[in-house]
Amino acid sequence: MVGHVKAVLLVGLLVLGGCGREAGTTSDGGTSAGNPTDLVVIAGTVVDDAGRPVEGALVQPRSLDEPPLAVPELAVMSGPDGRYEWRLAAGRYEFTALKGERTGVPAEVVAAPGTVDAAREVPLRLP
């Protein structure tokens, strides 16, 4: 009986592991998650209103796809030169920079399939 339960659990895990979303285009023209190798590098610089780089700003992406795509980390920090970089699955995202009580204007980006490893520049302004 124990062997039978283990076999059923193993089959269930294999079935769940095989479930996933296919690559494609959503009804509103956005993209959906596909092959995990379809990663796009999204990079940019966080700057203040005077155009100076902002070090230590939290940069957070939010998936705009339905259902939302998983984001591997909650946030990354901008470096001394204000630069940040994310490697994300193809899809639609909104990026926001935060530091202390300041929150920047969100920037929307479409990380399109077929642009694997092509860096997309998304500048963020933090007042």
Side-chain angles (χ1 to χ4, degrees):
M1 181 67 165
V2 172
H4 177 70
V5 171
K6 286 182 181 178
V8 169
L9 288 174
L10 178 60
V11 169
L13 288 173
L14 291 173
V15 168
L16 286 175
C19 293
R21 293 174 50 187
E22 296 294 323
T25 302
T26 61
S27 61
D28 62 357
T31 57
S32 62
N35 186 335
T37 61
D38 286 342
L39 297 179
V40 179
V41 176
I42 306 295
T45 304
V46 180
V47 297
D48 63 17
D49 284 336
R52 295 180 301 251
V54 177
E55 179 180 5
L58 290 176
V59 176
Q60 296 179 313
R62 180 176 67 93
S63 174
L64 298 176
D65 284 344
E66 287 298 328
L69 300 173
V71 176
E73 300 174 74
L74 294 177
V76 295
M77 292 186 79
S78 59
D81 56 356
R83 297 283 300 162
Y84 71 90
E85 184 176 296
W86 281 90
R87 185 175 289 272
L88 296 167
R92 292 177 42 239
Y93 297 91
E94 178 181 86
F95 281 78
T96 307
L98 312 149
K99 185 166 183 178
E101 298 294 317
R102 301 182 304 173
T103 301
V105 176
E108 188 174 328
V109 65
V110 175
T115 58
V116 178
D117 291 332
R120 299 283 309 266
E121 281 291 315
V122 180
L124 297 172
R125 186 165 300 279
L126 190 61

